[in-house]
Every structure is written in C-alpha cells, then in structure tokens.
PDB file of all heavy atoms in Angstrom:
ATOM      1  N   ASP A   1      18.945   9.274 -10.712  1.00  0.00           N
ATOM      2  CA  ASP A   1      19.293  10.639 -11.085  1.00  0.00           C
ATOM      3  C   ASP A   1      18.633  11.574 -10.072  1.00  0.00           C
ATOM      4  O   ASP A   1      17.531  12.101 -10.303  1.00  0.00           O
ATOM      5  CB  ASP A   1      18.797  10.918 -12.511  1.00  0.00           C
ATOM      6  CG  ASP A   1      19.007  12.367 -12.923  1.00  0.00           C
ATOM      7  OD1 ASP A   1      19.788  13.078 -12.247  1.00  0.00           O
ATOM      8  OD2 ASP A   1      18.353  12.789 -13.910  1.00  0.00           O
ATOM      9  N   LEU A   2      19.286  11.787  -8.953  1.00  0.00           N
ATOM     10  CA  LEU A   2      18.692  12.597  -7.908  1.00  0.00           C
ATOM     11  C   LEU A   2      18.507  14.040  -8.335  1.00  0.00           C
ATOM     12  O   LEU A   2      17.563  14.721  -7.883  1.00  0.00           O
ATOM     13  CB  LEU A   2      19.559  12.528  -6.635  1.00  0.00           C
ATOM     14  CG  LEU A   2      19.671  11.145  -6.003  1.00  0.00           C
ATOM     15  CD1 LEU A   2      20.552  11.201  -4.772  1.00  0.00           C
ATOM     16  CD2 LEU A   2      18.292  10.575  -5.660  1.00  0.00           C
ATOM     17  N   HIS A   3      19.371  14.534  -9.220  1.00  0.00           N
ATOM     18  CA  HIS A   3      19.199  15.889  -9.756  1.00  0.00           C
ATOM     19  C   HIS A   3      17.885  16.004 -10.496  1.00  0.00           C
ATOM     20  O   HIS A   3      17.061  16.888 -10.239  1.00  0.00           O
ATOM     21  CB  HIS A   3      20.371  16.219 -10.686  1.00  0.00           C
ATOM     22  CG  HIS A   3      20.236  17.547 -11.387  1.00  0.00           C
ATOM     23  ND1 HIS A   3      20.624  18.728 -10.799  1.00  0.00           N
ATOM     24  CD2 HIS A   3      19.747  17.853 -12.617  1.00  0.00           C
ATOM     25  CE1 HIS A   3      20.370  19.720 -11.637  1.00  0.00           C
ATOM     26  NE2 HIS A   3      19.846  19.206 -12.756  1.00  0.00           N
ATOM     27  N   GLY A   4      17.636  15.045 -11.397  1.00  0.00           N
ATOM     28  CA  GLY A   4      16.404  15.084 -12.194  1.00  0.00           C
ATOM     29  C   GLY A   4      15.166  14.816 -11.349  1.00  0.00           C
ATOM     30  O   GLY A   4      14.121  15.438 -11.549  1.00  0.00           O
ATOM     31  N   LEU A   5      15.292  13.906 -10.381  1.00  0.00           N
ATOM     32  CA  LEU A   5      14.137  13.575  -9.533  1.00  0.00           C
ATOM     33  C   LEU A   5      13.743  14.761  -8.666  1.00  0.00           C
ATOM     34  O   LEU A   5      12.558  14.938  -8.355  1.00  0.00           O
ATOM     35  CB  LEU A   5      14.461  12.355  -8.678  1.00  0.00           C
ATOM     36  CG  LEU A   5      14.726  11.052  -9.451  1.00  0.00           C
ATOM     37  CD1 LEU A   5      14.959   9.907  -8.470  1.00  0.00           C
ATOM     38  CD2 LEU A   5      13.567  10.720 -10.379  1.00  0.00           C
ATOM     39  N   TYR A   6      14.708  15.544  -8.252  1.00  0.00           N
ATOM     40  CA  TYR A   6      14.410  16.728  -7.465  1.00  0.00           C
ATOM     41  C   TYR A   6      13.510  17.687  -8.269  1.00  0.00           C
ATOM     42  O   TYR A   6      12.490  18.157  -7.776  1.00  0.00           O
ATOM     43  CB  TYR A   6      15.690  17.434  -7.046  1.00  0.00           C
ATOM     44  CG  TYR A   6      15.430  18.779  -6.363  1.00  0.00           C
ATOM     45  CD1 TYR A   6      15.186  18.837  -4.994  1.00  0.00           C
ATOM     46  CD2 TYR A   6      15.408  19.954  -7.100  1.00  0.00           C
ATOM     47  CE1 TYR A   6      14.915  20.039  -4.392  1.00  0.00           C
ATOM     48  CE2 TYR A   6      15.144  21.161  -6.507  1.00  0.00           C
ATOM     49  CZ  TYR A   6      14.907  21.213  -5.142  1.00  0.00           C
ATOM     50  OH  TYR A   6      14.651  22.423  -4.534  1.00  0.00           O
ATOM     51  N   PHE A   7      13.898  17.951  -9.520  1.00  0.00           N
ATOM     52  CA  PHE A   7      13.127  18.897 -10.312  1.00  0.00           C
ATOM     53  C   PHE A   7      11.817  18.281 -10.822  1.00  0.00           C
ATOM     54  O   PHE A   7      10.943  19.017 -11.332  1.00  0.00           O
ATOM     55  CB  PHE A   7      13.981  19.408 -11.479  1.00  0.00           C
ATOM     56  CG  PHE A   7      15.024  20.390 -11.043  1.00  0.00           C
ATOM     57  CD1 PHE A   7      16.353  20.010 -10.919  1.00  0.00           C
ATOM     58  CD2 PHE A   7      14.681  21.687 -10.700  1.00  0.00           C
ATOM     59  CE1 PHE A   7      17.321  20.906 -10.507  1.00  0.00           C
ATOM     60  CE2 PHE A   7      15.644  22.595 -10.274  1.00  0.00           C
ATOM     61  CZ  PHE A   7      16.968  22.206 -10.175  1.00  0.00           C
ATOM     62  N   GLN A   8      11.664  16.964 -10.671  1.00  0.00           N
ATOM     63  CA  GLN A   8      10.399  16.329 -11.016  1.00  0.00           C
ATOM     64  C   GLN A   8       9.430  16.362  -9.826  1.00  0.00           C
ATOM     65  O   GLN A   8       8.273  15.985  -9.949  1.00  0.00           O
ATOM     66  CB  GLN A   8      10.626  14.858 -11.434  1.00  0.00           C
ATOM     67  CG  GLN A   8       9.450  14.214 -12.139  1.00  0.00           C
ATOM     68  CD  GLN A   8       9.724  12.776 -12.524  1.00  0.00           C
ATOM     69  OE1 GLN A   8      10.779  12.224 -12.190  1.00  0.00           O
ATOM     70  NE2 GLN A   8       8.794  12.167 -13.239  1.00  0.00           N
ATOM     71  N   ASP A   9       9.914  16.762  -8.639  1.00  0.00           N
ATOM     72  CA  ASP A   9       9.092  16.767  -7.410  1.00  0.00           C
ATOM     73  C   ASP A   9       8.616  15.359  -7.050  1.00  0.00           C
ATOM     74  O   ASP A   9       7.480  15.148  -6.621  1.00  0.00           O
ATOM     75  CB  ASP A   9       7.867  17.672  -7.575  1.00  0.00           C
ATOM     76  CG  ASP A   9       8.116  19.077  -7.008  1.00  0.00           C
ATOM     77  OD1 ASP A   9       9.034  19.216  -6.185  1.00  0.00           O
ATOM     78  OD2 ASP A   9       7.387  20.002  -7.380  1.00  0.00           O
ATOM     79  N   LEU A  10       9.502  14.390  -7.212  1.00  0.00           N
ATOM     80  CA  LEU A  10       9.128  13.010  -6.971  1.00  0.00           C
ATOM     81  C   LEU A  10       9.097  12.695  -5.480  1.00  0.00           C
ATOM     82  O   LEU A  10       9.976  13.099  -4.718  1.00  0.00           O
ATOM     83  CB  LEU A  10      10.110  12.049  -7.673  1.00  0.00           C
ATOM     84  CG  LEU A  10       9.827  10.552  -7.456  1.00  0.00           C
ATOM     85  CD1 LEU A  10      10.004   9.794  -8.777  1.00  0.00           C
ATOM     86  CD2 LEU A  10      10.741   9.952  -6.407  1.00  0.00           C
ATOM     87  N   THR A  11       8.063  11.959  -5.048  1.00  0.00           N
ATOM     88  CA  THR A  11       7.971  11.447  -3.694  1.00  0.00           C
ATOM     89  C   THR A  11       8.145   9.943  -3.745  1.00  0.00           C
ATOM     90  O   THR A  11       7.383   9.242  -4.447  1.00  0.00           O
ATOM     91  CB  THR A  11       6.629  11.776  -3.039  1.00  0.00           C
ATOM     92  OG1 THR A  11       6.483  13.197  -2.960  1.00  0.00           O
ATOM     93  CG2 THR A  11       6.526  11.182  -1.648  1.00  0.00           C
ATOM     94  N   LEU A  12       9.138   9.407  -3.044  1.00  0.00           N
ATOM     95  CA  LEU A  12       9.388   7.966  -2.998  1.00  0.00           C
ATOM     96  C   LEU A  12       8.939   7.434  -1.650  1.00  0.00           C
ATOM     97  O   LEU A  12       9.423   7.892  -0.603  1.00  0.00           O
ATOM     98  CB  LEU A  12      10.875   7.677  -3.222  1.00  0.00           C
ATOM     99  CG  LEU A  12      11.271   6.216  -3.336  1.00  0.00           C
ATOM    100  CD1 LEU A  12      10.610   5.560  -4.534  1.00  0.00           C
ATOM    101  CD2 LEU A  12      12.791   6.088  -3.437  1.00  0.00           C
ATOM    102  N   THR A  13       8.017   6.482  -1.654  1.00  0.00           N
ATOM    103  CA  THR A  13       7.462   5.913  -0.426  1.00  0.00           C
ATOM    104  C   THR A  13       7.777   4.430  -0.377  1.00  0.00           C
ATOM    105  O   THR A  13       7.668   3.728  -1.385  1.00  0.00           O
ATOM    106  CB  THR A  13       5.927   6.089  -0.391  1.00  0.00           C
ATOM    107  OG1 THR A  13       5.618   7.488  -0.368  1.00  0.00           O
ATOM    108  CG2 THR A  13       5.332   5.450   0.843  1.00  0.00           C
ATOM    109  N   CYS A  14       8.186   3.949   0.792  1.00  0.00           N
ATOM    110  CA  CYS A  14       8.380   2.505   0.998  1.00  0.00           C
ATOM    111  C   CYS A  14       7.286   2.009   1.930  1.00  0.00           C
ATOM    112  O   CYS A  14       6.785   2.741   2.773  1.00  0.00           O
ATOM    113  CB  CYS A  14       9.747   2.233   1.610  1.00  0.00           C
ATOM    114  SG  CYS A  14      11.140   2.792   0.588  1.00  0.00           S
ATOM    115  N   SER A  15       6.924   0.752   1.762  1.00  0.00           N
ATOM    116  CA  SER A  15       5.891   0.174   2.631  1.00  0.00           C
ATOM    117  C   SER A  15       6.293  -1.237   2.998  1.00  0.00           C
ATOM    118  O   SER A  15       6.350  -2.139   2.142  1.00  0.00           O
ATOM    119  CB  SER A  15       4.534   0.177   1.913  1.00  0.00           C
ATOM    120  OG  SER A  15       3.505  -0.185   2.821  1.00  0.00           O
ATOM    121  N   TYR A  16       6.586  -1.438   4.285  1.00  0.00           N
ATOM    122  CA  TYR A  16       7.112  -2.709   4.802  1.00  0.00           C
ATOM    123  C   TYR A  16       6.082  -3.389   5.671  1.00  0.00           C
ATOM    124  O   TYR A  16       5.650  -2.839   6.678  1.00  0.00           O
ATOM    125  CB  TYR A  16       8.401  -2.405   5.591  1.00  0.00           C
ATOM    126  CG  TYR A  16       8.932  -3.550   6.421  1.00  0.00           C
ATOM    127  CD1 TYR A  16       9.051  -4.824   5.883  1.00  0.00           C
ATOM    128  CD2 TYR A  16       9.318  -3.343   7.729  1.00  0.00           C
ATOM    129  CE1 TYR A  16       9.549  -5.865   6.640  1.00  0.00           C
ATOM    130  CE2 TYR A  16       9.830  -4.373   8.499  1.00  0.00           C
ATOM    131  CZ  TYR A  16       9.953  -5.626   7.956  1.00  0.00           C
ATOM    132  OH  TYR A  16      10.438  -6.652   8.711  1.00  0.00           O
ATOM    133  N   SER A  17       5.654  -4.546   5.268  1.00  0.00           N
ATOM    134  CA  SER A  17       4.771  -5.434   6.046  1.00  0.00           C
ATOM    135  C   SER A  17       3.470  -4.737   6.476  1.00  0.00           C
ATOM    136  O   SER A  17       2.962  -3.874   5.767  1.00  0.00           O
ATOM    137  CB  SER A  17       5.528  -6.003   7.239  1.00  0.00           C
ATOM    138  OG  SER A  17       4.816  -7.096   7.800  1.00  0.00           O
ATOM    139  N   CYS A  18       2.932  -5.120   7.632  1.00  0.00           N
ATOM    140  CA  CYS A  18       1.653  -4.589   8.082  1.00  0.00           C
ATOM    141  C   CYS A  18       1.499  -4.840   9.581  1.00  0.00           C
ATOM    142  O   CYS A  18       2.173  -5.711  10.146  1.00  0.00           O
ATOM    143  CB  CYS A  18       0.499  -5.273   7.327  1.00  0.00           C
ATOM    144  SG  CYS A  18       0.436  -7.057   7.578  1.00  0.00           S
ATOM    145  N   GLY A  19       0.603  -4.091  10.197  1.00  0.00           N
ATOM    146  CA  GLY A  19       0.338  -4.231  11.625  1.00  0.00           C
ATOM    147  C   GLY A  19      -1.113  -4.544  11.890  1.00  0.00           C
ATOM    148  O   GLY A  19      -1.912  -4.793  10.976  1.00  0.00           O
ATOM    149  N   PRO A  20      -1.516  -4.517  13.182  1.00  0.00           N
ATOM    150  CA  PRO A  20      -2.871  -4.905  13.559  1.00  0.00           C
ATOM    151  C   PRO A  20      -3.968  -4.072  12.886  1.00  0.00           C
ATOM    152  O   PRO A  20      -5.027  -4.623  12.560  1.00  0.00           O
ATOM    153  CB  PRO A  20      -2.877  -4.704  15.083  1.00  0.00           C
ATOM    154  CG  PRO A  20      -1.455  -4.859  15.487  1.00  0.00           C
ATOM    155  CD  PRO A  20      -0.661  -4.292  14.371  1.00  0.00           C
ATOM    156  N   ARG A  21      -3.743  -2.777  12.693  1.00  0.00           N
ATOM    157  CA  ARG A  21      -4.772  -1.962  12.040  1.00  0.00           C
ATOM    158  C   ARG A  21      -5.089  -2.481  10.664  1.00  0.00           C
ATOM    159  O   ARG A  21      -6.257  -2.592  10.248  1.00  0.00           O
ATOM    160  CB  ARG A  21      -4.329  -0.508  11.973  1.00  0.00           C
ATOM    161  CG  ARG A  21      -4.217   0.221  13.305  1.00  0.00           C
ATOM    162  CD  ARG A  21      -3.576   1.573  13.094  1.00  0.00           C
ATOM    163  NE  ARG A  21      -2.238   1.422  12.474  1.00  0.00           N
ATOM    164  CZ  ARG A  21      -1.652   2.353  11.733  1.00  0.00           C
ATOM    165  NH1 ARG A  21      -2.294   3.491  11.477  1.00  0.00           N
ATOM    166  NH2 ARG A  21      -0.454   2.177  11.234  1.00  0.00           N
ATOM    167  N   GLU A  22      -4.030  -2.780   9.900  1.00  0.00           N
ATOM    168  CA  GLU A  22      -4.226  -3.221   8.515  1.00  0.00           C
ATOM    169  C   GLU A  22      -4.805  -4.637   8.439  1.00  0.00           C
ATOM    170  O   GLU A  22      -5.577  -4.936   7.523  1.00  0.00           O
ATOM    171  CB  GLU A  22      -2.901  -3.152   7.750  1.00  0.00           C
ATOM    172  CG  GLU A  22      -2.391  -1.739   7.524  1.00  0.00           C
ATOM    173  CD  GLU A  22      -1.534  -1.205   8.684  1.00  0.00           C
ATOM    174  OE1 GLU A  22      -1.045  -2.043   9.495  1.00  0.00           O
ATOM    175  OE2 GLU A  22      -1.345   0.014   8.765  1.00  0.00           O
ATOM    176  N   THR A  23      -4.445  -5.506   9.381  1.00  0.00           N
ATOM    177  CA  THR A  23      -5.008  -6.865   9.334  1.00  0.00           C
ATOM    178  C   THR A  23      -6.516  -6.823   9.573  1.00  0.00           C
ATOM    179  O   THR A  23      -7.286  -7.560   8.933  1.00  0.00           O
ATOM    180  CB  THR A  23      -4.319  -7.810  10.325  1.00  0.00           C
ATOM    181  OG1 THR A  23      -4.437  -7.311  11.643  1.00  0.00           O
ATOM    182  CG2 THR A  23      -2.865  -8.024   9.972  1.00  0.00           C
ATOM    183  N   LYS A  24      -6.959  -5.954  10.471  1.00  0.00           N
ATOM    184  CA  LYS A  24      -8.399  -5.828  10.701  1.00  0.00           C
ATOM    185  C   LYS A  24      -9.102  -5.290   9.462  1.00  0.00           C
ATOM    186  O   LYS A  24     -10.204  -5.775   9.101  1.00  0.00           O
ATOM    187  CB  LYS A  24      -8.662  -4.906  11.896  1.00  0.00           C
ATOM    188  CG  LYS A  24      -8.260  -5.513  13.233  1.00  0.00           C
ATOM    189  CD  LYS A  24      -8.458  -4.526  14.378  1.00  0.00           C
ATOM    190  CE  LYS A  24      -8.014  -5.130  15.695  1.00  0.00           C
ATOM    191  NZ  LYS A  24      -8.119  -4.162  16.818  1.00  0.00           N
ATOM    192  N   GLN A  25      -8.488  -4.321   8.799  1.00  0.00           N
ATOM    193  CA  GLN A  25      -9.098  -3.787   7.563  1.00  0.00           C
ATOM    194  C   GLN A  25      -9.136  -4.844   6.468  1.00  0.00           C
ATOM    195  O   GLN A  25     -10.118  -4.933   5.719  1.00  0.00           O
ATOM    196  CB  GLN A  25      -8.313  -2.558   7.111  1.00  0.00           C
ATOM    197  CG  GLN A  25      -8.400  -1.372   8.044  1.00  0.00           C
ATOM    198  CD  GLN A  25      -7.451  -0.268   7.635  1.00  0.00           C
ATOM    199  OE1 GLN A  25      -7.280   0.049   6.465  1.00  0.00           O
ATOM    200  NE2 GLN A  25      -6.802   0.343   8.612  1.00  0.00           N
ATOM    201  N   ALA A  26      -8.052  -5.639   6.363  1.00  0.00           N
ATOM    202  CA  ALA A  26      -8.008  -6.697   5.348  1.00  0.00           C
ATOM    203  C   ALA A  26      -9.103  -7.746   5.608  1.00  0.00           C
ATOM    204  O   ALA A  26      -9.764  -8.203   4.672  1.00  0.00           O
ATOM    205  CB  ALA A  26      -6.630  -7.347   5.325  1.00  0.00           C
ATOM    206  N   LYS A  27      -9.255  -8.118   6.860  1.00  0.00           N
ATOM    207  CA  LYS A  27     -10.325  -9.068   7.210  1.00  0.00           C
ATOM    208  C   LYS A  27     -11.684  -8.526   6.768  1.00  0.00           C
ATOM    209  O   LYS A  27     -12.501  -9.238   6.161  1.00  0.00           O
ATOM    210  CB  LYS A  27     -10.316  -9.347   8.693  1.00  0.00           C
ATOM    211  CG  LYS A  27     -11.453 -10.240   9.161  1.00  0.00           C
ATOM    212  CD  LYS A  27     -11.614 -10.216  10.671  1.00  0.00           C
ATOM    213  CE  LYS A  27     -12.893 -10.920  11.111  1.00  0.00           C
ATOM    214  NZ  LYS A  27     -13.177 -10.752  12.540  1.00  0.00           N
ATOM    215  N   GLU A  28     -11.939  -7.262   7.059  1.00  0.00           N
ATOM    216  CA  GLU A  28     -13.226  -6.661   6.695  1.00  0.00           C
ATOM    217  C   GLU A  28     -13.419  -6.653   5.168  1.00  0.00           C
ATOM    218  O   GLU A  28     -14.516  -6.927   4.668  1.00  0.00           O
ATOM    219  CB  GLU A  28     -13.305  -5.234   7.240  1.00  0.00           C
ATOM    220  CG  GLU A  28     -13.393  -5.188   8.774  1.00  0.00           C
ATOM    221  CD  GLU A  28     -13.183  -3.792   9.331  1.00  0.00           C
ATOM    222  OE1 GLU A  28     -12.947  -2.865   8.517  1.00  0.00           O
ATOM    223  OE2 GLU A  28     -13.260  -3.646  10.567  1.00  0.00           O
ATOM    224  N   LEU A  29     -12.369  -6.349   4.430  1.00  0.00           N
ATOM    225  CA  LEU A  29     -12.478  -6.346   2.955  1.00  0.00           C
ATOM    226  C   LEU A  29     -12.792  -7.728   2.408  1.00  0.00           C
ATOM    227  O   LEU A  29     -13.585  -7.876   1.469  1.00  0.00           O
ATOM    228  CB  LEU A  29     -11.170  -5.812   2.341  1.00  0.00           C
ATOM    229  CG  LEU A  29     -10.931  -4.304   2.510  1.00  0.00           C
ATOM    230  CD1 LEU A  29      -9.492  -3.971   2.133  1.00  0.00           C
ATOM    231  CD2 LEU A  29     -11.897  -3.514   1.635  1.00  0.00           C
ATOM    232  N   LEU A  30     -12.174  -8.744   3.004  1.00  0.00           N
ATOM    233  CA  LEU A  30     -12.438 -10.109   2.547  1.00  0.00           C
ATOM    234  C   LEU A  30     -13.854 -10.527   2.940  1.00  0.00           C
ATOM    235  O   LEU A  30     -14.530 -11.226   2.153  1.00  0.00           O
ATOM    236  CB  LEU A  30     -11.413 -11.075   3.167  1.00  0.00           C
ATOM    237  CG  LEU A  30      -9.999 -10.935   2.578  1.00  0.00           C
ATOM    238  CD1 LEU A  30      -8.972 -11.645   3.449  1.00  0.00           C
ATOM    239  CD2 LEU A  30      -9.964 -11.504   1.156  1.00  0.00           C
ATOM    240  N   GLU A  31     -14.316 -10.103   4.090  1.00  0.00           N
ATOM    241  CA  GLU A  31     -15.701 -10.388   4.480  1.00  0.00           C
ATOM    242  C   GLU A  31     -16.696  -9.715   3.533  1.00  0.00           C
ATOM    243  O   GLU A  31     -17.789 -10.226   3.328  1.00  0.00           O
ATOM    244  CB  GLU A  31     -15.937  -9.940   5.924  1.00  0.00           C
ATOM    245  CG  GLU A  31     -15.238 -10.812   6.952  1.00  0.00           C
ATOM    246  CD  GLU A  31     -15.340 -10.268   8.369  1.00  0.00           C
ATOM    247  OE1 GLU A  31     -15.525  -9.033   8.515  1.00  0.00           O
ATOM    248  OE2 GLU A  31     -15.205 -11.066   9.317  1.00  0.00           O
ATOM    249  N   GLN A  32     -16.292  -8.559   2.990  1.00  0.00           N
ATOM    250  CA  GLN A  32     -17.135  -7.844   2.039  1.00  0.00           C
ATOM    251  C   GLN A  32     -17.075  -8.413   0.639  1.00  0.00           C
ATOM    252  O   GLN A  32     -17.808  -7.955  -0.257  1.00  0.00           O
ATOM    253  CB  GLN A  32     -16.737  -6.363   2.025  1.00  0.00           C
ATOM    254  CG  GLN A  32     -16.997  -5.619   3.330  1.00  0.00           C
ATOM    255  CD  GLN A  32     -16.249  -4.314   3.419  1.00  0.00           C
ATOM    256  OE1 GLN A  32     -15.727  -3.794   2.422  1.00  0.00           O
ATOM    257  NE2 GLN A  32     -16.177  -3.752   4.617  1.00  0.00           N
ATOM    258  N   GLY A  33     -16.180  -9.395   0.413  1.00  0.00           N
ATOM    259  CA  GLY A  33     -16.105 -10.064  -0.899  1.00  0.00           C
ATOM    260  C   GLY A  33     -15.204  -9.379  -1.882  1.00  0.00           C
ATOM    261  O   GLY A  33     -15.451  -9.437  -3.087  1.00  0.00           O
ATOM    262  N   LEU A  34     -14.125  -8.694  -1.419  1.00  0.00           N
ATOM    263  CA  LEU A  34     -13.201  -8.037  -2.332  1.00  0.00           C
ATOM    264  C   LEU A  34     -12.705  -8.999  -3.398  1.00  0.00           C
ATOM    265  O   LEU A  34     -12.612  -8.663  -4.587  1.00  0.00           O
ATOM    266  CB  LEU A  34     -12.023  -7.434  -1.566  1.00  0.00           C
ATOM    267  CG  LEU A  34     -10.952  -6.737  -2.415  1.00  0.00           C
ATOM    268  CD1 LEU A  34     -11.519  -5.503  -3.107  1.00  0.00           C
ATOM    269  CD2 LEU A  34      -9.743  -6.343  -1.571  1.00  0.00           C
ATOM    270  N   PHE A  35     -12.370 -10.212  -3.004  1.00  0.00           N
ATOM    271  CA  PHE A  35     -12.001 -11.268  -3.968  1.00  0.00           C
ATOM    272  C   PHE A  35     -12.087 -12.616  -3.238  1.00  0.00           C
ATOM    273  O   PHE A  35     -12.134 -12.677  -2.019  1.00  0.00           O
ATOM    274  CB  PHE A  35     -10.615 -11.051  -4.560  1.00  0.00           C
ATOM    275  CG  PHE A  35      -9.489 -11.022  -3.555  1.00  0.00           C
ATOM    276  CD1 PHE A  35      -8.941 -12.207  -3.049  1.00  0.00           C
ATOM    277  CD2 PHE A  35      -8.971  -9.817  -3.111  1.00  0.00           C
ATOM    278  CE1 PHE A  35      -7.904 -12.174  -2.134  1.00  0.00           C
ATOM    279  CE2 PHE A  35      -7.928  -9.787  -2.193  1.00  0.00           C
ATOM    280  CZ  PHE A  35      -7.399 -10.956  -1.707  1.00  0.00           C
ATOM    281  N   ARG A  36     -12.078 -13.676  -4.024  1.00  0.00           N
ATOM    282  CA  ARG A  36     -11.983 -15.027  -3.507  1.00  0.00           C
ATOM    283  C   ARG A  36     -10.579 -15.536  -3.710  1.00  0.00           C
ATOM    284  O   ARG A  36      -9.847 -15.059  -4.591  1.00  0.00           O
ATOM    285  CB  ARG A  36     -12.987 -15.941  -4.215  1.00  0.00           C
ATOM    286  CG  ARG A  36     -14.450 -15.686  -3.825  1.00  0.00           C
ATOM    287  CD  ARG A  36     -15.414 -16.447  -4.695  1.00  0.00           C
ATOM    288  NE  ARG A  36     -15.226 -17.886  -4.654  1.00  0.00           N
ATOM    289  CZ  ARG A  36     -15.777 -18.684  -3.727  1.00  0.00           C
ATOM    290  NH1 ARG A  36     -16.548 -18.172  -2.785  1.00  0.00           N
ATOM    291  NH2 ARG A  36     -15.582 -19.990  -3.755  1.00  0.00           N
ATOM    292  N   ALA A  37     -10.188 -16.510  -2.930  1.00  0.00           N
ATOM    293  CA  ALA A  37      -8.837 -17.044  -3.032  1.00  0.00           C
ATOM    294  C   ALA A  37      -8.523 -17.520  -4.446  1.00  0.00           C
ATOM    295  O   ALA A  37      -7.398 -17.369  -4.919  1.00  0.00           O
ATOM    296  CB  ALA A  37      -8.653 -18.188  -2.036  1.00  0.00           C
ATOM    297  N   GLU A  38      -9.524 -18.063  -5.128  1.00  0.00           N
ATOM    298  CA  GLU A  38      -9.319 -18.563  -6.485  1.00  0.00           C
ATOM    299  C   GLU A  38      -8.902 -17.463  -7.455  1.00  0.00           C
ATOM    300  O   GLU A  38      -8.351 -17.750  -8.514  1.00  0.00           O
ATOM    301  CB  GLU A  38     -10.601 -19.255  -6.989  1.00  0.00           C
ATOM    302  CG  GLU A  38     -10.889 -20.587  -6.322  1.00  0.00           C
ATOM    303  CD  GLU A  38     -11.570 -20.453  -4.956  1.00  0.00           C
ATOM    304  OE1 GLU A  38     -11.807 -19.303  -4.506  1.00  0.00           O
ATOM    305  OE2 GLU A  38     -11.870 -21.489  -4.336  1.00  0.00           O
ATOM    306  N   ASP A  39      -9.142 -16.209  -7.118  1.00  0.00           N
ATOM    307  CA  ASP A  39      -8.744 -15.093  -7.985  1.00  0.00           C
ATOM    308  C   ASP A  39      -7.238 -14.856  -7.978  1.00  0.00           C
ATOM    309  O   ASP A  39      -6.695 -14.277  -8.930  1.00  0.00           O
ATOM    310  CB  ASP A  39      -9.460 -13.803  -7.573  1.00  0.00           C
ATOM    311  CG  ASP A  39     -10.966 -13.875  -7.762  1.00  0.00           C
ATOM    312  OD1 ASP A  39     -11.409 -14.565  -8.698  1.00  0.00           O
ATOM    313  OD2 ASP A  39     -11.689 -13.247  -6.970  1.00  0.00           O
TER     314      ASP A  39
END
C-alpha cells in the first residue's frame, strides 16, 4: 500500500551481502567473544 506507506513516513532499506570492511568488523566481534559457534 504505497499510499499508506507514504503517510507513515516508512523507510525501506535492503542489505545485500558484505564487503571487506564488514568482514574485518565481524572478525573483531568474534575475537571479542560476541558468540560461539555452538550458539
């Protein structure tokens, strides 16, 4: 309902895959113990 979504001020964002910046950040988060694989 694009009419209704306009008056709701909705922002629709898509996010496809990842690049080198994000892989470095992910590595750092795992090194910091964000979670273990078993989780």
Side-chain angles (χ1 to χ4, degrees):
D1 175 16
L2 296 180
H3 175 84
L5 297 182
Y6 173 86
F7 286 103
Q8 195 181 4
D9 265 340
L10 179 137
T11 298
L12 186 62
T13 298
C14 300
S15 189
Y16 168 47
S17 195
C18 61
R21 292 172 302 154
E22 292 87 18
T23 58
K24 290 177 182 176
Q25 293 171 42
K27 175 194 171 188
E28 292 169 358
L29 288 167
L30 289 166
E31 289 173 335
Q32 294 164 13
L34 178 64
F35 60 81
R36 288 171 59 86
E38 289 81 359
D39 295 328

